[in-house]
Amino acid sequence: MFLILDVIINLGMLGIFKYSSMVVISLNNILNLNFTVPNILLPIGISFHTFQILSYVIDVYYNRVKVQNNYFKLLLYISFFPQLIAGPIVKYHDINEQIDNRKQIPEEVAKGIRRFIVGLSKKVLISNVMALAADNIYSYNLTDINIVLSWIGAISYMLQIYFDFSGYSDMAIGLGKMFGFNIKENFNYPYYADSIKDFWRRWHISLSSWFRDYLYIPLGGNRKGKVRTCINKIIVFFFTGLWHGANWTFVVWGLYHGLFLLLEEYLNFIKKMPKVIRHIYVIIVVAVGFVMFRANTLYQGIYFIKQMFTGYSFSPLSISLAYEQLNPLFIIVLIIAIIGSLPVKKYIKNKVDLNKYKQIETVYYILSIVLLLICIINLSGSTYNPFIYFRF
């Protein structure tokens, strides 16, 4: 009874603060009503700390962890500031031992500082540049969008959201290390995946594993036949999309990914395609999906996707707009972003001997200091903040 009550209260608060406006607007549009749309300020990070609270309650209920009798230690888990507003989602059973038993040693603090700098650089030096291009293209009149502009917008946003979100995760992991906490990885080169299933093993790992542990498996997982498995996956991806924001574009994005997971499950020819083709397939599917994720409305998202494959009109204005976006800074950062989204560091580590790799790491340490200085200079002269587009 108390478990159910706790789940209802926490999800109820999340629903009121985050989704009440969406529900009222949808009812007004569907039923032609005129209810007043509530204007409720959204508490920052509410999706993350709600899921963390539920993780604790459910883990205690199923005896996976002991009850935390110290309120302030529980509060530390729920409100740990490095990952509170942008993730990763930390499950209680992954960190409960570290609350009482953790060590801050110079080597780990140094690793944390370097990891923080990497995340900050991803956000400031790559994501923000990609965001400027994406924001510009999504602000144009739809009649000016053609195949070139739509693909520039899709690729820009695809790289923006990855380097933004993984950058925040890197900063959280780095800050955690500085305080003696080991937070699990949240991204593992998702654009290197060769299937949508593999993509979700690599993308926002803490969210997909949370839904697996606390929704998919309790619903029955894949243990109750194919039909029930399909229904369970659709339910999970409906809520995965909805979790990201109070807009039907996010729900469509979630169901879109769920559809491709089901197709991969039952269409064997996808698994048999050459690996290079599978990589290309994943990039196209993910890029198209993120167009809907970024769109302000379903109509805008559908129009952009249509133009990605049929927008062959090239007016002087659309050519001028495309030329304006493809400036030298954008192209340089685009190349860096593409390389940075691939597991180049892992490849180098596997290919060179240990002594040479230590020399490379020394260069990496020096580069970290240079990147930090560049970030500070960049931030001191910039007012751009694309975080408004991440409606968690």
Side-chain angles (χ1 to χ4, degrees):
M1 183 183 68
F2 284 107
L3 172 68
I4 294 170
L5 186 63
D6 195 285
V7 171
I8 290 172
I9 289 172
N10 279 287
L11 293 183
M13 287 193 291
L14 180 63
I16 291 169
F17 280 106
K18 190 170 181 178
Y19 300 107
S20 55
S21 297
M22 174 186 172
V23 171
V24 172
I25 291 170
S26 298
L27 288 174
N28 285 345
N29 291 336
I30 294 169
L31 302 177
N32 198 25
L33 300 173
N34 195 28
F35 290 132
T36 301
V37 177
N39 184 22
I40 303 173
L41 292 177
L42 183 68
I44 193 165
I46 187 171
S47 298
F48 288 98
H49 59 69
T50 298
F51 273 30
Q52 294 197 181
I53 290 168
L54 292 177
S55 168
Y56 168 74
V57 171
I58 296 169
D59 283 352
V60 168
Y61 177 80
Y62 285 106
N63 294 317
R64 295 170 187 156
V65 293
K66 294 180 180 179
V67 175
Q68 176 55 262
N69 292 314
N70 187 310
Y71 172 73
F72 292 101
K73 289 180 180 179
L74 180 63
L75 193 63
L76 170 62
Y77 159 68
I78 295 170
S79 62
F80 188 51
F81 80 91
Q83 41 73 233
L84 180 64
I85 62 169
I89 300 168
V90 177
K91 295 190 282 292
Y92 185 71
H93 61 254
D94 289 332
I95 204 170
N96 65 312
E97 294 293 334
Q98 298 179 48
I99 292 174
D100 290 310
N101 303 301
R102 64 184 186 276
K103 293 180 181 179
Q104 289 175 276
I105 57 176
E107 292 81 2
E108 290 299 305
V109 173
K111 284 182 183 178
I113 293 170
R114 291 194 295 271
R115 186 65 180 269
F116 180 88
I117 293 171
V118 169
L120 183 66
S121 302
K122 283 182 178 181
K123 165 67 181 157
V124 173
L125 305 180
I126 298 178
S127 178
N128 283 6
V129 175
M130 294 292 105
L132 286 171
D135 291 352
N136 287 337
I137 291 171
Y138 276 89
S139 68
Y140 294 153
N141 292 326
L142 291 180
T143 53
D144 297 326
I145 302 298
N146 62 10
I147 190 170
V148 176
L149 279 170
S150 58
W151 274 103
I152 294 173
I155 293 169
S156 298
Y157 185 70
M158 186 178 175
L159 293 170
Q160 174 200 341
I161 192 171
Y162 169 63
F163 283 98
D164 190 296
F165 207 177
S166 69
Y168 275 116
S169 294
D170 286 340
M171 286 189 275
I173 292 168
L175 284 167
K177 282 187 178 295
M178 295 181 210
F179 290 104
F181 287 95
N182 289 309
I183 299 172
K184 287 188 174 182
E185 295 294 334
N186 205 25
F187 290 87
N188 182 23
Y189 302 103
Y191 296 157
Y192 191 65
D194 60 2
S195 68
I196 299 301
K197 185 176 182 179
D198 187 31
F199 172 81
W200 278 98
R201 289 195 189 109
R202 298 166 176 268
W203 176 272
H204 203 346
I205 299 166
S206 63
L207 178 66
S208 54
S209 64
W210 195 98
F211 275 114
R212 180 198 65 210
D213 293 348
Y214 301 115
L215 183 58
Y216 181 66
I217 292 175
L219 284 172
N222 59 0
R223 304 186 304 274
K224 297 187 177 182
K226 288 186 176 182
V227 175
R228 183 62 181 272
T229 299
C230 291
I231 293 171
N232 291 344
K233 287 184 177 180
I234 293 298
I235 291 171
V236 166
F237 275 90
F238 173 88
F239 285 108
T240 299
L242 189 63
W243 180 87
H244 283 85
N247 194 318
W248 287 106
T249 54
F250 296 113
V251 174
V252 171
W253 172 79
L255 293 174
Y256 168 85
H257 273 271
L259 173 63
F260 275 94
L261 276 173
L262 293 178
L263 289 175
E264 289 179 359
E265 188 81 22
Y266 299 110
L267 298 180
N268 289 326
F269 78 89
I270 296 177
K271 301 173 185 176
K272 295 178 181 178
M273 292 189 300
K275 195 166 186 177
V276 174
I277 302 298
R278 295 202 306 272
H279 281 304
I280 296 171
Y281 145 77
V282 169
I283 293 299
I284 293 172
V285 169
V286 172
V288 170
F290 276 137
V291 169
M292 185 59 71
F293 189 96
R294 172 59 180 82
N296 296 313
T297 64
L298 291 172
Y299 178 78
Q300 185 188 37
I302 292 168
Y303 187 89
F304 262 76
I305 292 169
K306 186 188 79 170
Q307 294 302 95
M308 289 172 72
F309 301 98
T310 62
Y312 293 109
S313 62
F314 292 91
S315 66
L317 179 57
S318 64
I319 294 171
S320 173
L321 292 174
Y323 181 77
E324 182 182 321
Q325 297 308 318
L326 295 173
N327 57 71
L329 175 63
F330 174 82
I331 293 171
I332 291 169
V333 175
L334 176 66
I335 294 169
I336 294 171
I338 292 171
I339 294 171
S341 64
L342 300 173
V344 176
K345 187 177 178 182
K346 288 183 179 179
Y347 178 82
I348 293 172
K349 191 173 183 178
N350 292 332
K351 290 295 180 180
V352 302
D353 62 61
L354 187 60
N355 290 329
K356 284 186 178 179
Y357 186 73
K358 286 182 178 178
Q359 293 174 356
I360 293 171
E361 281 209 315
T362 303
V363 175
Y364 169 63
Y365 300 156
I366 296 170
L367 181 62
S368 297
I369 299 171
V370 174
L371 286 173
L372 178 60
L373 292 174
I374 295 172
C375 287
I376 292 170
I377 293 168
N378 185 289
L379 286 168
S380 65
S382 173
T383 58
Y384 180 71
N385 179 21
F387 191 75
I388 58 173
Y389 293 108
F390 293 87
R391 287 155 280 192
F392 300 116

